Amino acid sequence: MSDSSRAGGAHGVDSADDSLRERWRNALVGARGGASGPDPMPYADNLLARWAEPQRRYHTTAHLVAVLDRIDTLAGYAADADAVRLAAWFHDAVYRPDRSENEERSAALAERALPEAGVPADVTAEVARLVRLTVTHDPADGDINGEVLCDADLAILAADPKEYAVYAAQVREEYGFVPDDAFREGRAAVLRQLLGLPRLFRTPHGVARWEPRARQNLLTELELLSH
């Protein structure tokens, strides 16, 4: 990631991202287990530049902040909360709405960048695995790191109706190149896939606090798409 991290830094990072950069530093240093390593900040700048790309409407730094906040809420359920936080940083680092391999490319980016940043091989492998898990949001029983990441990523589904409507509109904007009929068909398929899961959320907090409202929001959006 050496060349790309310098390139990302060249874009400049708004001072409003300072708290995010500090959160990246804390997660990376935690994942190193206290060992020394390269300066974390060029990696933060590269990732923040990616999250600020112009094709994004929902998958922006605001989404990253929301996911990191939810991980903080759920951190007590994780086996390695710092690995989960790093996975959040990478899970949409590569995002092109017209491509289907975003998660794989994001995981591959983590596999290249994290060893260079001083993260041990086992933690790097866990981060990449978690990023790939966001294809399905369906962690295996007992995969507590996966449960925390997927719950945090899907927590927007449990937003209040007004915020959920903004989220749905932003997703539509990201797929503005798709004709209306095709978008409705594809989006409805995604909603049905989510509703078909035995549970949308796996952590005790997610099940208790987010599951009912999320299912209602999905059903409402699905009904709106059918009109």
Side-chain angles (χ1 to χ4, degrees), residues 21-210:
R21 295 168 85 242
E22 190 61 27
R23 293 174 86 166
W24 164 262
R25 179 198 292 276
N26 291 340
L28 184 64
V29 170
R32 289 173 180 168
S36 61
D39 181 2
M41 289 314 165
Y43 298 91
D45 290 350
N46 173 273
L47 287 163
L48 287 169
R50 291 173 178 274
W51 282 90
E53 291 165 341
Q55 77 277 9
R56 298 169 183 259
R57 294 296 183 272
Y58 170 67
H59 294 89
T60 64
T61 51
H63 171 58
L64 173 60
V65 168
V67 173
L68 290 171
D69 287 347
R70 297 303 189 186
I71 290 170
D72 288 348
T73 297
L74 303 173
Y77 300 115
D80 186 344
D82 285 324
V84 179
R85 291 184 179 101
L86 292 180
W89 275 89
F90 280 96
H91 83 288
D92 286 319
V94 178
Y95 185 72
R96 292 286 186 271
D98 59 339
R99 298 180 183 175
S100 61
E101 71 277 11
N102 291 313
E103 293 87 357
E104 179 56 37
R105 293 177 66 203
S106 295
L109 179 67
E111 289 170 331
R112 295 193 303 273
L114 291 177
E116 182 183 290
V119 175
D122 59 334
V123 181
T124 295
E126 175 66 354
V127 171
R129 182 190 73 81
L130 291 168
V131 171
R132 292 184 173 103
L133 185 60
T134 62
V135 174
T136 62
H137 293 96
D138 190 14
D141 290 342
D143 179 5
I144 54 178
N145 286 339
E147 290 176 351
V148 169
L149 179 62
C150 290
D151 278 17
D153 195 25
L154 292 180
I156 183 61
L157 302 181
D160 66 69
K162 188 173 293 187
E163 184 182 357
Y164 184 91
V166 171
Y167 148 72
Q170 290 171 336
V171 171
R172 180 66 184 104
E173 287 180 34
E174 286 186 339
Y175 288 88
F177 57 90
V178 178
D180 285 343
D181 288 348
F183 177 81
R184 283 195 296 268
E185 181 178 348
R187 179 66 177 171
V190 170
L191 298 177
R192 291 189 188 99
Q193 182 265 328
L194 289 169
L195 286 166
L197 295 172
R199 286 185 295 167
L200 290 165
F201 300 101
R202 307 299 181 86
T203 63
H205 182 97
V207 171
R209 300 287 186 88
W210 299 335

